[in-house]
Amino acid sequence: MPYIYLVLATFFLSFSSISASFYNRKNEGKRDITPLYNLLQLSAVFILWLFKFILNPEFDLAVLPYSALFALGYTAAMMSIVSVYREGPIMLSSLIMQLSMISTTVWGFFFWNSPVTPVVISGLVLVVLSLWLCLYTGKGKEQGKKFSVKWLCFIAVYFVGNSVCSITQRTQQLDFNSSYGDFLMATATAVGFIVCLLLYLRSDKSDSKEILKKTGYFPFISGALNFALNLIIIILASTSLSPSLIYPVLAVGSLAITTVFSVFIFKEKMFWWQWIGVSLGAVAIALLSI
């Protein structure tokens, strides 16, 4: 059953990139599209976690510091996704986003007593090589935007924020014997919702009605799947699966799905070495499963 959860989480994670890309393309030229996306997405996430907590109202005030740290990373990561894809190349952005998942595996080696074996190290090396091959477009063949200082800032915020989320979430579950996950997420997403609401109220809302009517379902669906993703990760934290398996699978698996999706939906060209990268990713997952 844990492996089924992991497969589902991989699909849910990949939709974040797909949703943000669709949303940007369909709203190109409109004003302040990011604050509305963030608000709608966080609204869905918060409502679902609040409902989940009401069904299981167990709490411990000692969890609040974890909630605060998670809220900081979660809000930063969620708010930067649309801006990352708007300001820079999609391929390179996806690479750095997925590498943020690998940082959690490295953290596990030092603080969670995750086993470090030659097989695991080989798998991690193949993960990095797979990501690079999947997203390398060759000299002079880069499509889309060149990266800028603004993009660099947004991607750095996402990288740090997502790493903080994953590490804090698993640490809280380990420290509290897999309890109070609903309380952690409900309080953390409440903070994120309030921040996004305040930022939206200060934004230019002149195009909001049209955006909401035509593409409002993208952030809502993304928020619902993000809820399911984090719920599954909390469940997986209480299983025997090692972080050295969970996070690389999420990284490579979601990247492979996004890459294949781009070929058929966005009609983006996929080079021969990118297919090799997907194959190496499958080998890496197999090694990390041993």
Side-chain angles (χ1 to χ4, degrees):
M1 196 63 179
Y3 291 96
I4 296 177
Y5 285 145
L6 187 56
V7 170
L8 289 174
T10 302
F11 278 96
F12 294 160
L13 178 61
S14 66
F15 188 79
S16 293
S17 299
I18 296 170
S19 172
S21 298
F22 265 124
Y23 183 82
N24 275 328
R25 291 187 179 206
K26 290 182 177 293
N27 291 301
E28 188 172 359
K30 294 185 175 65
R31 287 163 288 189
D32 280 357
I33 65 174
T34 302
L36 179 58
Y37 184 95
N38 294 333
L39 177 62
L40 296 177
Q41 187 178 43
L42 263 296
S43 297
V45 174
F46 170 57
I47 290 171
L48 288 170
W49 277 114
L50 180 61
F51 181 73
K52 181 74 166 55
F53 173 66
I54 292 173
L55 293 178
N56 180 35
E58 297 181 349
F59 68 93
D60 187 333
L61 295 181
V63 175
L64 289 178
Y66 296 85
S67 297
L69 187 58
F70 185 92
L72 180 64
Y74 185 79
T75 305
M78 295 287 277
M79 289 175 57
S80 62
I81 290 177
V82 174
S83 298
V84 164
Y85 285 112
R86 185 184 67 245
E87 299 294 339
I90 295 175
M91 301 289 274
L92 184 57
S93 298
S94 298
L95 170 62
I96 308 243
M97 286 182 169
Q98 303 312 327
L99 282 176
S100 69
M101 302 296 293
I102 306 301
S103 66
T104 308
T105 300
V106 176
W107 181 276
F109 294 151
F110 295 98
F111 299 100
W112 296 331
N113 297 319
S114 299
V116 183
T117 66
V119 173
V120 169
I121 293 175
S122 299
L124 290 174
V125 170
L126 285 180
V127 166
V128 176
L129 181 59
S130 169
L131 291 170
W132 183 82
L133 284 172
C134 284
L135 300 172
Y136 177 66
T137 54
K139 292 183 178 180
K141 299 178 181 180
E142 176 102 22
Q143 297 178 356
K145 303 176 182 178
K146 300 293 183 180
F147 69 86
S148 62
V149 174
K150 187 181 293 187
W151 171 83
L152 191 61
C153 292
F154 283 127
I155 198 68
V157 169
Y158 181 91
F159 184 95
V160 175
N162 198 50
S163 297
V164 169
C165 282
S166 300
I167 293 170
T168 303
Q169 192 175 54
R170 185 172 180 86
T171 301
Q172 186 275 322
Q173 288 292 284
L174 292 174
D175 291 348
F176 289 84
N177 195 26
S178 302
S179 300
Y180 311 118
D182 295 344
F183 179 62
L184 167 74
M185 296 303 299
T187 52
T189 55
V191 174
F193 169 73
I194 293 172
V195 171
C196 289
L197 177 60
L198 293 176
L199 291 176
Y200 172 72
L201 292 175
R202 297 183 59 185
S203 68
D204 185 344
K205 297 178 282 295
S206 54
D207 290 329
S208 291
K209 185 176 181 180
E210 182 181 356
I211 295 172
L212 185 60
K213 182 179 179 180
K214 293 183 177 180
T215 58
Y217 59 91
F218 281 116
F220 274 123
I221 295 176
S222 180
L225 293 182
N226 185 270
F227 160 78
L229 169 65
N230 281 282
L231 179 60
I232 290 175
I233 290 177
I234 288 177
I235 294 173
L236 291 176
S238 61
T239 68
S240 59
L241 294 186
S242 170
S244 61
L245 169 65
I246 294 173
Y247 296 103
V249 167
L250 288 174
V252 175
S254 63
L255 174 63
I257 293 170
T258 303
T259 301
V260 173
F261 192 92
S262 297
V263 171
F264 293 102
I265 303 301
F266 292 136
K267 306 299 181 182
E268 294 181 351
K269 182 179 179 182
M270 190 165 173
F271 301 105
W272 60 267
W273 58 80
Q274 292 174 317
W275 289 110
I276 294 177
V278 172
S279 301
L280 287 179
V283 174
I285 292 172
L287 289 175
L288 292 169
S289 301
I290 297 176

